[in-house]
Amino acid sequence: MIRLSTSWMYQQSLTTMLDQQGTLAATQNQVSSGQRINLASDDPAGAAQVVSLYHILASTAQYSANIDSANARLSTESNTLSSFNSLLDQVRSMTVQGVNGTLSASDRHDMAAQLVQIRAQLVQLANTADANGNALFAGTTTTGTPFVLNSDGTVGYAGNGDNQMTAIGNGLRIPNSDAGAGLFMDIPAGNGSFVASAAAGNAGTLLVGATSVTDGNAWQTATAAGPVDYQISFDAAGNWTATDANNGNAVVASGSYQEGGSVSFNGLSIALSGAPAAGDSVSVKSGQRQDVFSTVTALIGALQDDSLSDTARSNVISRQLESVDRAQDGVLSTQADVGGRLNRLAQQKSTYSDLTLTYQTTLSGVQDTDMASAISKLMLQSTALQASQQTFAKVQGMSLFDYLK
């Protein structure tokens, strides 16, 4: 016969009810919180998956925030470059007018005054900052004013040539701006390949017109050893001789010039007009660079200098017109690239939106409570606990003396 003590029955009943209360409390917590997993012990495997999903969602949210920040900077840059290019359009229009030798000195001075104002505006745009006050075109430096206009009309650059980058994905980075070093300062001069300039001391009426590379292979051969430095000299009869300053002034080509014709050799071609005087010359140099602000400053100087002849002034202004075109080419190319980056950011943001929805759906499936099942379970557990309590109340009141009456 097994002897059951009263204390043992009490302990067993109490343990059973406490277990039922704990289970009931856990189910109540799932219903009230809406989450099936509140502790790692609720579902160790599911808890690990929840932690992983939260980590992925946090990374996705950070990348999305980075995209928003990069989008704001690039949008600001795009608008700034549009304004910058509009000012260069004005510069180009006045440059074309300045080539006209019929302008009066007063007209030229008025035009120069306008260019002074435009130059200041260009510097101001180049110092544009984003919403956080960081300069857009300073590269990776922290300077707030990368471009400084000096009293002599030159512009100094305090930034560097590195583009700021934004992480928009695992191992995926994109420039959120463009350094002003390459955009505004280090611009190919002339036609982009070489600069042909009439000598300042020319006595004739020779004007240097359009220049170009007509034979890429010949030009590549000519520049294989480095930038060229040619001098084209004319005699009284219009005959010309081209010498190479990099090779002991050795003659590289010669020919006869007819007014309105051109000079061509080593893959390059220079359109000319007017008549050269004996001893007049044209220099040809490749690898030349010029910042956009110096271009405007050179135009201002040519328009203000009344000592220049119409021919000399036209030659100077024509060369600066080429530099304006190169500056605009660079700005337009960068604008197109910025547009491509904005499209890429939009696509990446859309991808993250879709992924976030997928991850949240997966997280909900792992973590969230199945309310219908949980409420049904809660009712069953509550009923079981009540039954246990009622049974214990009856059992603990039983005594052997009840049967001896």
Side-chain angles (χ1 to χ4, degrees), residues 99-359:
V99 175
N100 187 349
T102 61
L103 291 177
S104 66
S106 176
D107 291 335
R108 292 196 307 272
H109 291 174
D110 289 343
M111 193 177 295
Q114 293 180 56
L115 287 173
V116 168
Q117 296 301 316
I118 290 176
R119 182 180 59 192
Q121 289 177 278
L122 289 173
V123 173
Q124 182 180 18
L125 287 173
N127 284 323
T128 298
D130 62 16
N132 296 318
N134 299 317
L136 281 177
F137 304 109
T140 57
T141 63
T142 57
T143 178
T145 309
F147 295 90
V148 179
L149 178 60
N150 302 312
S151 58
D152 61 355
T154 60
V155 173
Y157 179 60
N160 60 29
D162 299 323
N163 291 336
Q164 288 195 25
M165 308 293 287
T166 295
I168 61 171
N170 187 17
L172 184 60
R173 303 171 74 222
I174 192 170
N176 60 42
S177 61
D178 294 272
L183 184 55
F184 302 132
M185 302 301 289
D186 191 24
I187 303 173
N191 59 24
S193 297
F194 65 89
V195 180
S197 305
N202 284 356
T205 59
L206 185 68
L207 290 172
V208 178
T211 63
S212 63
V213 173
T214 56
D215 186 336
N217 291 331
W219 178 249
Q220 186 174 7
T221 300
T223 57
V228 301
D229 186 358
Y230 298 139
Q231 185 85 0
I232 305 172
S233 302
F234 295 84
D235 63 17
N239 298 312
W240 60 269
T241 301
T243 57
D244 185 358
N246 293 330
N247 191 24
N249 292 321
V251 175
V252 294
S254 62
S256 178
Y257 164 72
Q258 300 293 327
E259 186 171 352
S262 63
V263 168
S264 300
F265 63 96
N266 286 0
L268 63 84
S269 180
I270 305 170
L272 301 171
S273 62
D280 285 356
S281 65
V282 174
S283 66
V284 178
K285 295 182 179 182
S286 65
Q288 302 294 297
R289 320 292 287 188
Q290 181 170 301
D291 65 84
V292 64
F293 311 105
S294 294
T295 297
V296 179
T297 298
L299 287 170
I300 293 170
L303 291 169
Q304 290 178 333
D305 190 352
D306 295 332
S307 66
L308 292 176
S309 66
D310 290 341
T311 298
R313 183 178 295 106
S314 293
N315 275 317
V316 172
I317 293 177
S318 293
R319 300 289 68 75
Q320 302 315 311
L321 178 59
E322 290 178 335
S323 294
V324 172
D325 288 341
R326 298 294 77 73
Q328 285 197 288
D329 288 345
V331 169
L332 292 173
S333 176
T334 302
Q335 273 190 290
D337 189 60
V338 168
R341 278 178 264 168
L342 286 170
N343 287 335
R344 188 176 177 187
L345 289 175
Q347 292 172 0
Q348 194 73 5
K349 184 66 179 290
S350 177
T351 298
Y352 283 139
S353 295
D354 294 339
L355 287 175
T356 298
L357 179 60
T358 300
Y359 294 142

Side-chain angles (χ1 to χ4, degrees), residues 15-98:
T15 299
T16 300
M17 286 187 292
L18 288 175
D19 288 343
Q20 288 176 324
Q21 285 179 336
T23 303
L24 178 64
T27 304
Q28 286 176 325
N29 192 26
Q30 290 180 1
V31 172
S32 61
S33 67
Q35 294 184 346
R36 183 179 65 86
I37 303 174
N38 292 287
L39 298 173
S41 58
D42 294 338
D43 182 353
Q49 189 176 2
V50 167
V51 171
S52 177
L53 286 169
Y54 271 126
H55 177 73
I56 293 173
L57 284 170
S59 296
T60 302
Q62 183 59 62
Y63 286 137
S64 295
N66 290 352
I67 288 174
D68 291 338
S69 177
N71 188 76
R73 278 178 64 88
L74 287 173
S75 296
T76 302
E77 179 180 354
S78 181
N79 293 332
T80 301
L81 291 180
S82 293
S83 298
F84 200 95
N85 191 55
S86 295
L87 288 175
L88 289 182
D89 280 336
Q90 295 180 41
V91 173
R92 193 182 195 286
S93 177
M94 283 187 277
T95 302
V96 172
Q97 295 178 46

